[in-house]
Amino acid sequence: MGRRQLDLVWRRRVAAAWWFAVAVVCGLVGSGSAGLLESNPGLAYNFYQKSCPNVDSIVRSVTWAQVAANPALPGRLLRLHFHDCFVQGCDASILLDNAGSEKTAGPNQSVGGYEVIDAIKTQLEQACPGVVSCADIVALAARDAVSYQFKASLWQVETGRRDGPVSLATNTGALPSPFAGFNGLLQSFANRGLNLTDLVALSGAHTIGKASCSSVTPRLYQGNTTSLDPLLDSAYAKTLMSSCPNPSPSSATVDLDVATPLKFDSGYYTNLQKKQGALASDAALTQNAAAAQMVADLTNPIKFYAAFSMSMKKMGRIDVLTGNKGNIRKQCRSAS
């Protein structure tokens, strides 16, 4: 068996182990009482089975082709999904191009991946006109982009969302701040129906992607003086300073995961234990005993994959529009 075949076998085994862990954890959680986002809000697996049976293969094909050409896309599409759901629910409002839309807000200036959503929507409109929502495309594309390295879907995505008609930059205050302390983060997640486990698990998305230097430099400098956050490893701080000098260009970025920035793995949590989290909000997870224990647990990749899968499913249910609410856009950037 050649090296490429061995690599494919390994990826499939990892994916299989992930799904086994998810099944076990879901069985344990399922015996408890249902919380705000534990119950199904009108979504379903295979929602488009009759109306657009090839939706999954179309989304996966377009997404994987684009990720193969641009390895930075998984981080961008995952962040796009997060920033959509946390503002006014998973309704694709972040995609709209109207004046004063969510896109124009400061926290969304560095969000990307819109061109992938456009490409997917174009193909789906050819195959199934007016059927698949942009909100579902965002959720599916995020999953498929992350799954590309494993060549297998790493979590299930419920579908049936509809698109929202309103997008306002003034609504983006609901997004968790990169400067937030632990209590602020926990409250931001609680406001969206998510708990401590979700906070720690979904923060693991920072195992890929980049942060703007403006989100990092307050941990490195005060005015013209170097002033390091005591929660930063000094050697790692020097790495950050090399990417984010004082002052930094507005377009400057830094990898969120110093070790494996393009690999979706549990290395993020190992980094946190070494004081190598790029953002203050990353370091905050080590300042609470319960969260720090979860960080230690999620250094195990199978535990991380299982927890992330469950929390992504919950996040994908936030304030979704279903049934007759919202609409199905023909173009994801326009509400009409």
Side-chain angles (χ1 to χ4, degrees):
M1 185 178 292
R3 182 174 180 180
R4 181 171 296 180
Q5 290 175 302
L6 286 171
D7 183 55
L8 183 58
V9 169
W10 174 82
R11 289 176 178 177
R12 288 174 174 168
R13 286 178 177 173
V14 169
W18 180 332
W19 277 113
F20 175 76
V22 170
V24 171
V25 175
C26 283
L28 294 174
V29 173
S31 63
S33 59
L36 178 63
L37 294 175
E38 300 294 346
S39 58
N40 192 307
L43 304 178
Y45 297 120
N46 300 317
F47 179 84
Y48 299 106
Q49 185 172 12
K50 293 182 178 179
S51 59
C52 192
N54 293 325
V55 59
D56 288 318
S57 61
I58 291 172
V59 175
R60 183 173 58 249
S61 176
V62 175
T63 303
W64 282 13
Q66 298 227 16
V67 171
N70 184 357
L73 281 174
R76 293 176 185 173
L77 288 167
L78 198 52
R79 189 168 180 233
L80 180 67
H81 187 27
F82 281 16
H83 280 227
D84 181 41
C85 292
F86 262 82
V87 175
Q88 56 184 31
C90 308
D91 66 348
S93 54
I94 193 172
L95 304 179
L96 293 175
D97 277 341
N98 57 274
S101 69
E102 292 172 30
K103 276 184 183 178
T104 66
N108 288 334
Q109 290 293 301
S110 56
V111 173
Y114 300 110
E115 71 284 357
V116 181
I117 305 303
D118 291 339
I120 295 169
K121 183 62 170 174
T122 296
Q123 289 209 15
L124 286 174
E125 283 300 305
Q126 292 174 353
C128 318
V131 172
V132 181
S133 70
C134 299
D136 278 342
I137 293 172
V138 170
L140 290 166
R143 187 272 309 276
D144 289 341
V146 172
S147 300
Y148 173 75
Q149 76 176 66
F150 298 98
K151 299 299 187 290
S153 295
L154 296 182
W155 65 88
Q156 290 181 292
V157 175
E158 295 172 312
T159 46
R161 300 168 189 80
R162 289 169 67 86
D163 301 322
V166 177
S167 181
L168 298 172
T170 52
N171 289 338
T172 58
L175 290 168
S177 168
F179 310 113
F182 176 77
N183 289 335
L185 288 171
L186 193 61
Q187 187 60 56
S188 291
F189 275 66
N191 290 344
R192 310 312 284 151
L194 301 172
N195 60 26
L196 173 61
T197 300
D198 302 315
L199 165 60
V200 179
L202 293 176
S203 293
H206 288 177
T207 188
I208 54 177
K210 293 181 178 289
S212 62
C213 281
S214 61
S215 297
V216 176
T217 51
R219 306 186 72 197
L220 305 173
Y221 314 105
Q222 290 295 326
N224 296 323
T225 305
T226 298
S227 179
L228 299 184
D229 183 338
L231 297 180
L232 268 178
D233 171 72
S234 57
Y236 176 57
K238 291 180 180 178
T239 299
L240 291 177
M241 293 169 74
S242 66
S243 297
C244 300
N246 188 22
S248 293
S250 60
S251 60
T253 60
V254 63
D255 290 325
L256 285 165
D257 183 333
V258 66
T260 55
L262 295 175
K263 185 177 181 182
F264 191 81
D265 58 21
S266 61
Y268 166 79
Y269 299 101
T270 302
N271 294 342
L272 293 189
Q273 293 182 315
K274 298 177 181 178
K275 295 186 175 182
Q276 294 180 354
L279 305 176
S281 57
D282 294 325
L285 300 183
T286 66
Q287 301 306 295
N288 171 273
Q293 182 58 57
M294 291 182 189
V295 166
D297 290 343
L298 296 187
T299 58
N300 178 313
I302 300 304
K303 290 183 178 180
F304 165 53
Y305 298 153
F308 190 80
S309 173
M310 292 179 64
S311 292
M312 284 296 291
K313 179 177 177 178
K314 285 179 66 177
M315 188 191 77
R317 291 175 167 178
I318 295 175
D319 290 344
V320 293
L321 302 174
T322 58
N324 295 322
K325 298 179 180 178
N327 62 6
I328 304 296
R329 298 179 206 151
K330 291 190 176 297
Q331 294 185 344
C332 291
R333 296 173 184 256
S334 174
S336 58

